[in-house]
Amino acid sequence: MKKDRFLLLFLLTAFFRCAQAQQTKLTSEGNFQLPVCVYQGDTIPYITLPNVIVYPKLKFKSKKQENNYWRLVRDVKKTLPLAKEIKNAVIETYEYMETLPNKKAKDKHIKEVEKGLKKQYTARLKKLTFRQGKLLIKLVDRECNQSSYELVKAFMGPFKAGFYQAFASLFGASLKKEYDPDNDDKLVERVIELVENGQL
């Protein structure tokens, strides 16, 4: 037992000294390039490991609750990439619009973007279930820090935002729905973190 503790202590000390070593370079090992550090004359390769998220094991009260959880996992895996694509499209559109000289050029560009988005996403969005569509609205808010309603309003104006909101409300959805990771969407956030970390 003492040997194990001593070995662990030695390795941790070596690791921290290695991390602090001034002489750091890259070396080739086959097809891989590894960062290395020199510690007391020895060249030691090192890698940075990703964080591992640990949650307590879920306890399901019923088979139905367990099925709902795995359905949520499936829905997150399907909608999260879409939300991230939408975030990238919003950033690209905003950055490009900042380079345009006037409102006329911006309006023209927004119409082209809207047409392109419809062409690119309509078929994919039609394949989503109603539950997945509602989840996507929340995930867009999570990724963009703005509700879908606010994004449409900012880029296309209040009239179109109102139109799309009215259309969504016909189906019992709302573009104004916000993501709440501390309360309503706590389980969703857990699933997202595990999916993003490759643990689910």
Side-chain angles (χ1 to χ4, degrees):
M1 192 71 174
K2 285 184 179 178
K3 275 186 179 179
D4 291 343
R5 286 184 184 167
F6 177 75
L7 181 62
L8 181 63
L9 184 62
F10 173 76
L11 288 173
L12 285 172
T13 305
F15 172 76
F16 285 117
R17 284 192 182 166
C18 182
Q20 293 169 351
Q22 293 178 356
Q23 195 176 355
T24 303
K25 58 185 176 182
L26 290 176
T27 183
S28 290
E29 282 277 324
N31 294 328
F32 298 98
Q33 280 199 323
L34 300 171
V36 299
C37 69
V38 178
Y39 174 69
Q40 294 184 354
D42 285 335
T43 304
I44 305 168
Y46 68 91
I47 58 170
T48 304
L49 297 174
N51 292 331
V52 176
I53 300 167
V54 179
Y55 282 106
K57 189 175 179 182
L58 286 173
K59 293 177 183 175
F60 301 106
K61 294 176 183 175
S62 66
K63 189 69 178 168
K64 183 180 178 184
Q65 193 181 46
E66 184 179 0
N67 289 340
N68 285 340
Y69 172 75
W70 290 110
R71 193 177 293 127
L72 175 63
V73 171
R74 180 201 66 196
D75 292 348
V76 165
K77 286 183 175 183
K78 193 165 186 178
T79 55
L80 187 60
L82 274 169
K84 289 184 182 295
E85 285 178 39
I86 290 167
K87 175 188 176 181
N88 291 336
V90 166
I91 291 169
E92 286 174 20
T93 302
Y94 176 77
E95 287 177 352
Y96 183 74
M97 283 182 63
E98 288 297 297
T99 67
L100 297 175
N102 53 43
K103 188 178 184 305
K104 186 178 179 182
K106 290 179 181 182
D107 289 344
K108 183 182 176 187
H109 180 66
I110 280 294
K111 284 180 183 176
E112 290 171 7
V113 168
E114 185 180 6
K115 192 186 289 185
L117 289 174
K118 281 181 180 176
K119 187 177 180 182
Q120 185 177 353
Y121 290 105
T122 298
R124 289 169 70 186
L125 292 175
K126 280 184 177 178
K127 290 179 183 176
L128 297 180
T129 64
F130 177 66
R131 183 176 48 254
Q132 289 167 350
K134 288 175 83 171
L135 179 60
L136 178 61
I137 289 170
K138 285 190 169 191
L139 295 188
V140 166
D141 180 58
R142 179 186 187 267
E143 292 298 315
C144 300
N145 292 320
Q146 279 188 310
S147 69
S148 299
Y149 178 82
E150 290 299 324
L151 289 172
V152 174
K153 186 179 174 183
F155 286 106
M156 299 178 192
F159 177 77
K160 282 212 170 172
F163 171 78
Y164 286 126
Q165 170 62 14
F167 185 75
S169 65
L170 289 173
F171 298 96
S174 172
L175 299 181
K176 295 180 179 180
K177 205 76 172 158
E178 293 181 354
Y179 187 73
D180 185 6
D182 297 321
N183 295 302
D184 292 344
D185 302 309
K186 199 169 188 175
L187 186 60
V188 178
E189 185 64 21
R190 171 184 170 136
V191 170
I192 289 171
E193 287 182 351
L194 293 173
V195 166
E196 286 183 328
N197 210 39
Q199 292 173 254
L200 262 181

